[in-house]
Amino acid sequence: MDIRERLAANLRRLRQSKGWSQEAFAREVGLHRTYVSDLERGARNPTITVVDKLAEALEVPVGALLDELSSGES
């Protein structure tokens, strides 16, 4: 799994765990919903500044967005 795929999977999982739609999350972060959708599909390469904004909104360390999922997580 490449880093974009890891970011996409972690972003989707963490957003859903908060109960946020892509639209609600995009508003929270200050991004467009389609940009969030692109990130969750691995279709975009965000800047480190955007990754930091995503992590802040999700209340996780930046590394949590980039780490490999353990086998126990879905």
Side-chain angles (χ1 to χ4, degrees), residues 10-42:
N10 288 328
L11 183 58
R12 185 178 319 103
R13 177 180 53 82
L14 291 165
R15 174 185 60 77
Q16 289 174 339
S17 75
K18 293 256 187 203
W20 288 338
S21 66
Q22 285 182 345
E23 188 170 353
F25 180 57
R27 270 195 308 270
E28 184 72 26
V29 180
L31 299 172
H32 197 275
R33 184 203 54 80
T34 58
Y35 186 77
V36 170
S37 173
D38 287 349
L39 290 174
E40 289 189 3
R41 290 184 295 109

